[in-house]
Amino acid sequence: MRKEYESGRIAGIRESIFTTMSRLAFEYKAINLGQGFPDFNGPEWLINEVLNSMKKGHNQYAPSPGIFSLRKAIAQVEKKYYDLNWNPETEITITAGATEALFCTVQAFIQPGDEVIIFEPYYDAYIADILLAGGKPITITLHKPDFKFFAEDLFKVITPAVKMIIINTPHNPSGKIFNYEELDIISKIAIENELLVVSDEVYEFMTFDDKQHIPIATLNGMRDRTITISSAGKTFGMTGWKIGFVCANEKLTNAIRRVHQWTTFAVNTPMQHAVAYGFSNLEDYLPEFRKIYQHKRDLIIKELRSTLFKPIIPYGSYFIMVEIPDGIFFDDYTCAVELVKTYGIATIPPSVFYSNSNEGKTMLRLCFAKQDETIIEGIDRLRRLRFDKND
Ligand code: PMP
Ligand code: GLN
């Protein structure tokens, strides 16, 4: 028997916190405000479209870059909402969720010795993708409570080894939306140092209080060095459908497609047809979608105000960070474990999304893509902490 079969490449890869907390939620029959997914269905008319497309015979492999009608519908959305022109033939690719898009992108451009700048708290897939490609993540902290970064921190880490910056706006887990000034700083650095920028915009349509999402590809000089990634799973509230997409210029798209070809080859066909229909009707669908999430964000803030957990207001995504009350728990992980075991509420301890700063240890992440009753009951369980600890 060989002593070790695992490749060294996966040495730094652990089980994701979402899997851990969802398993604990199940085990302790807890309300799950941890892993990010809605506990209610997306639109019925979209579900019917999957059935229709199956009945019409759309059940065999799709073309590797995705069915053309979906790529065309995405091109129209990008034009209408952001005035971005992507050629659906050569510049848009359909992937198995944003997760596959991120994986293929990092594999396509990062090799051993390359450094990739990411912002913490980060979406944990970025670290795994970079390590699997043999690259090195370099982390810049977004400081609470408003999750701003210091431009000097960014300037300091730029060396010839840096090849890529990954940003995520609207941001998971903080709910921050990168404003124009911040994107401008990142753009200028990217242009000056000839860096690629990967922009993860899966929560692009989930914004609150009239805050605007700005794709970094729209900034001067950025279109041809940006790889924009998004996901129909978020926009239509069906995370299990795993339909994501990448927009990038032809040369970059070519490289990404060569990896995509050997990861999934093609993404499931009937859902692509349904999502094409969905994106073609986005304008009618979005107002209600946005109203629902604005309501849920306001509801969770209102409920949290009468707990010991102080909310940090999010302006996008379906996540909210809360401050853990002082002096009760050792850290966020201890707090999250006690909450799920004793109080029956699952959350995410965000310190796993940090490499440099300890700020994550003082917060928890909650997901509010849940039915109102689930939010109310979940937060009621948090509220009980006050009574227990004061008794
Ligand atoms: N990026 C971010 C920031 C996410 O939060 C998620 C999933 N919640 C993904 C990417 C992955 O998206 P998908 O489910 O489409 O693979
Ligand atoms: N992105 C989701 C979250 O942040 C989880 C997705 C997953 O479990 N892979 O909760």
Side-chain angles (χ1 to χ4, degrees):
M1 252 325 236
R2 283 168 193 263
K3 277 221 291 297
E4 189 50 88
Y5 282 91
E6 279 185 15
S7 107
R9 265 197 317 279
I10 66 165
I13 312 286
R14 304 268 174 277
E15 179 178 270
S16 122
I17 191 70
F18 310 121
T19 308
T20 309
M21 293 312 295
S22 279
R23 190 176 46 241
L24 284 175
F26 182 76
E27 204 177 309
Y28 289 92
K29 300 189 174 54
I31 302 258
N32 192 354
L33 301 188
Q35 190 178 22
F37 63 88
D39 69 345
F40 50 93
N41 252 343
E44 181 85 13
W45 53 266
L46 204 58
I47 294 171
N48 291 337
E49 269 312 297
V50 178
L51 196 59
N52 286 343
S53 74
M54 284 178 171
K55 285 189 172 156
K56 280 189 208 150
H58 296 305
N59 298 303
Q60 309 306 335
Y61 293 128
S64 180
I67 62 165
F68 190 71
S69 59
L70 175 53
R71 287 184 274 147
K72 202 167 119 199
I74 291 168
Q76 282 162 354
V77 166
E78 293 278 312
K79 175 74 189 163
K80 180 174 168 55
Y81 290 89
Y82 311 124
D83 201 23
L84 280 165
N85 292 294
W86 302 111
N87 180 342
E89 200 66 79
T90 52
E91 297 184 315
I92 298 178
T93 308
I94 311 303
T95 53
T99 306
E100 196 222 344
L102 286 162
F103 178 82
C104 294
T105 301
V106 175
Q107 283 291 324
F109 303 112
I110 298 306
Q111 58 189 359
D114 288 342
E115 294 184 354
V116 182
I117 296 176
I118 58 177
F119 292 88
E120 66 178 18
Y122 40 70
Y123 183 54
D124 56 357
Y126 307 152
I127 296 274
D129 290 338
I130 297 164
L131 293 179
L132 286 172
K136 184 173 168 208
I138 306 284
T139 313
I140 302 294
T141 304
L142 299 170
H143 295 281
K144 67 171 194 177
D146 48 7
F147 296 94
K148 290 226 178 293
F149 64 90
F150 298 115
E152 311 86 76
D153 289 351
L154 201 48
F155 294 129
K156 264 192 260 167
V157 296
I158 300 292
T159 66
V162 176
K163 195 169 188 186
M164 176 185 276
I165 304 181
I166 303 182
I167 66 168
N168 169 217
T169 183
H171 184 249
N172 173 9
S174 73
K176 166 196 177 71
I177 295 182
F178 281 69
N179 63 28
Y180 184 85
E181 289 68 34
E182 292 169 312
L183 296 174
D184 194 43
I185 292 170
I186 296 168
S187 300
K188 292 206 164 104
I189 289 178
I191 292 167
E192 204 173 304
N193 298 281
E194 301 190 317
L195 309 180
L196 291 174
V197 172
V198 176
S199 187
D200 177 344
E201 302 178 8
V202 298
Y203 302 103
E204 60 185 318
F205 295 113
M206 228 174 261
T207 58
F208 313 118
D209 303 345
D210 299 322
K211 285 273 184 313
Q212 286 291 318
H213 161 64
I214 308 171
I216 196 166
T218 60
L219 271 69
N220 253 347
M222 287 306 291
R223 182 199 187 273
D224 286 332
R225 62 176 65 257
T226 303
I227 296 133
T228 304
I229 292 176
S230 191
S231 175
K234 315 289 174 189
T235 302
F236 295 106
M238 315 271 204
T239 58
W241 285 19
K242 298 296 292 185
I243 304 283
F245 60 91
V246 196
C247 304
N249 79 9
E250 185 169 348
K251 189 155 180 252
L252 299 175
T253 289
N254 246 318
I256 294 165
R257 284 185 183 175
R258 271 149 59 209
V259 184
H260 165 68
Q261 185 172 235
W262 304 121
T263 46
T264 52
F265 183 77
V267 176
N268 90 73
T269 312
M271 259 85 171
Q272 288 197 56
H273 282 274
V275 171
Y277 183 73
F279 276 128
S280 311
N281 289 282
L282 195 61
E283 201 178 348
D284 295 337
Y285 162 75
L286 271 186
E288 182 61 17
F289 170 81
R290 291 166 57 83
K291 206 167 102 194
I292 289 171
Y293 278 98
Q294 175 83 46
H295 161 77
K296 292 192 183 298
R297 190 214 59 164
D298 295 346
L299 175 66
I300 198 164
I301 291 173
K302 177 174 146 280
E303 292 296 315
L304 278 164
R305 295 241 189 255
S306 55
T307 73
L308 294 179
F309 295 82
K310 188 169 159 258
I312 302 177
I313 311 300
Y315 294 100
S317 86
Y318 46 44
F319 300 111
I320 183 166
M321 294 280 243
V322 296
E323 299 271 13
I324 298 172
D326 280 345
I328 303 182
F329 301 100
F330 175 68
D331 62 12
D332 60 327
Y333 191 75
T334 328
C335 176
V337 170
E338 181 166 341
L339 287 178
V340 73
K341 290 189 176 170
T342 312
Y343 293 86
I345 165 155
T347 59
I348 297 289
S351 55
V352 293
F353 306 141
Y354 288 81
S355 302
N356 293 338
S357 159
N358 280 328
E359 289 182 23
K361 291 192 174 151
T362 61
M363 296 178 283
L364 291 175
R365 188 196 81 174
L366 311 182
C367 172
F368 55 83
K370 308 293 170 188
Q371 293 174 52
D372 288 4
E373 309 83 79
T374 319
I375 295 174
I376 291 168
E377 175 59 30
I379 304 304
D380 196 47
R381 292 181 183 198
L382 279 189
R383 197 173 290 122
R384 285 177 207 160
L385 184 76
R386 163 171 287 164
F387 302 125
D388 283 10
K389 298 285 171 187
N390 287 353
D391 275 349

